[in-house]
Every structure is written in C-alpha cells, then in structure tokens.
Amino acid sequence: MENEKFSLPNYNIPEDLETIVAITTLDRLYNWGRRSSVWPLMFGLACCAIEMIAAQASRYDMSRFGMEVMRPTPRQADMMLVSGTVTKKMLPAIIRLYNQMPEPKYVVAMGACASSGGPFKEGYNVVAGIDKFLPVDVYIPGCPPTPQALIAGLIKLQEKIDRQSIKKVRWYDRKKEDANYVPMPILGPDLIDVRRNAEIKQAAAAKESAS
Ligand code: SF4
C-alpha cells in the first residue's frame, strides 16, 4: 500500500519525511497485513473450481492480491473458497475443514451452487447454499462465475477486511467460548435424509391435522 493511502488524513507529516514515515491506526495496520495475504484453502467441489484454477494461472494471476499461496492444509489457510456444488455427503468434511482453520478466517461462496444450490436446488443430495451452515462473507453470482468475477469478489473481500476493527471482529470475543466453532451437521436432524421422506411426510400431515 502506498504511504498516502496507509496514513490516515489529518496527520501533518513533514514533506521531507513523507516517503519514509506513515502515521496510522492499529486497525489499519492489522487490516493491511491480513488483506494482503489472504491464503485460500486448496479445494474445489465442482465445475466452478475450474474457473478458480484459471484465476490462479498466469493470465489472471491472483498473486497480485497476495492470494497465490493455496494451502493444502486448513491450519495455514485464511479463506475458504467454496467453489461448486455442496452435497450433503461432502458438507461434514467442509465444516470440519472450516473448524480447523485458524482465525481470522473468511468464507467466499463462489457460484450459484455454493450460494443457493444453483441448478440443483431442492435436489435430494444438495445443500441449498453453504450459508445455511457457515458465515459467508462474499457471494459471487454466476454459473460459473468467470475468473474476472472471482477476482471482483476477492476485491470485495479485501474491502470488507479494510472496514473491520480489531475490537469488533468475532474472533476476539472473549465473552463467547469458541465463538467460531460450527457444530457438525448430522443427516436427519440438520439435513433432510430422503430415505426418511415417508416418515417426514407423515409427521407433517399429523401436525397439519392437529392445528
Ligand atoms: S454454479 Fe454452475 S458451474 Fe458452478 S458448480 Fe454449480 S453448476 Fe457448476
């Protein structure tokens, strides 16, 4: 970041020191560090992942945003890029990976499937959006979104990070114990198990007749 963007306005820095001195806030310094090295977790779920891979290649080059280091381990990743269809079978693995990521951590829903189920919405095996389970920071529309759209979404994420304050972000909330832990979804109570459709319909009919 250039010095004039880094320094907050209203600080009078002598002209001869302008190129070497910056006065800023802790928030701004902290956000600058995070927004410039958001390392994505390396995993893809479906066709959207191909566009994500294209965005990492030389033509689009996500390294311009400090996002070129895709980590194969959640322990070293800052951002979960959910690129593709989230199936009920895959969901527990995704939640487990999210829980294993250290804070601060962000989630980007790439494409119609990750945002809402997309063309498979209401499908027997598909979750209608990862935001039903994880706190999504940025949604990227499209089926699939182009690499340019992905980059636009990642810039939005950087802008969101720029506006955060170290005092308010949920990772440092001492009052809550493990505020970021997401319970593992269970087929049945959390996710509709189609094998139990007859039982579910029967219970719904009984509830309706009783009301
Ligand atoms: S949004 Fe479209 S391109 Fe992306 S995973 Fe779903 S079907 Fe494939």
Side-chain angles (χ1 to χ4, degrees):
M1 196 185 281
E2 290 154 18
N3 251 13
E4 63 267 26
K5 284 189 192 159
F6 195 54
S7 292
L8 280 176
N10 307 326
Y11 286 119
N12 291 326
I13 299 171
E15 208 174 310
D16 51 337
L17 293 178
E18 262 176 6
T19 52
I20 50 170
V21 172
I23 300 175
T24 189
T25 61
L26 184 59
D27 270 345
R28 214 163 159 84
L29 187 65
Y30 174 76
N31 290 343
W32 168 73
R34 288 185 307 143
R35 59 115 66 201
S36 309
S37 60
V38 185
W39 291 357
L41 179 62
M42 187 163 66
F43 86 112
L45 294 174
C47 6
C48 275
I50 303 298
E51 300 297 317
M52 178 187 73
I53 294 163
Q56 282 287 17
S58 52
R59 181 162 184 178
Y60 300 101
D61 191 14
M62 272 161 58
S63 58
R64 289 175 292 155
F65 305 96
M67 296 176 183
E68 76 276 27
V69 190
M70 287 203 129
R71 301 312 298 172
T73 162
R75 308 285 186 201
Q76 296 167 357
D78 308 290
M79 184 223 333
M80 176 176 260
L81 192 49
V82 185
S83 54
T85 321
V86 182
T87 59
K88 289 176 184 170
K89 194 169 183 181
M90 189 63 186
L91 184 68
I94 296 173
I95 305 289
R96 192 182 300 281
L97 287 170
Y98 177 80
N99 284 332
Q100 288 175 344
M101 286 167 66
E103 297 92 12
K105 52 188 171 184
Y106 300 94
V107 179
V108 173
M110 179 184 180
C113 282
S115 303
S116 67
F120 311 109
K121 194 173 170 70
E122 312 295 339
Y124 71 96
N125 62 335
V126 169
V127 175
I130 191 66
D131 59 355
K132 303 273 183 296
F133 296 90
L134 295 182
V136 173
D137 295 282
V138 175
Y139 296 86
I140 304 173
C143 176
T146 56
Q148 294 93 328
L150 173 60
I151 287 172
L154 297 177
I155 292 171
K156 282 279 165 230
L157 179 66
Q158 288 189 318
E159 288 169 4
K160 183 172 179 174
I161 294 173
D162 284 341
R163 291 192 301 272
Q164 288 187 325
S165 165
I166 201 167
K167 285 187 202 151
K168 291 183 189 157
V169 284
R170 64 178 189 279
W171 354 103
Y172 307 122
D173 190 350
R174 285 191 191 159
K175 286 178 218 142
K176 289 188 195 164
E177 204 173 303
D178 209 355
N180 304 295
Y181 179 77
V182 177
M184 295 294 285
I186 298 167
L187 200 61
D190 304 315
L191 290 163
I192 290 179
D193 182 353
V194 284
R195 289 168 300 184
R196 295 178 59 200
N197 258 359
E199 199 186 316
I200 294 165
K201 277 184 188 165
Q202 221 173 10
K207 201 173 169 189
E208 205 172 317
S209 59
S211 61

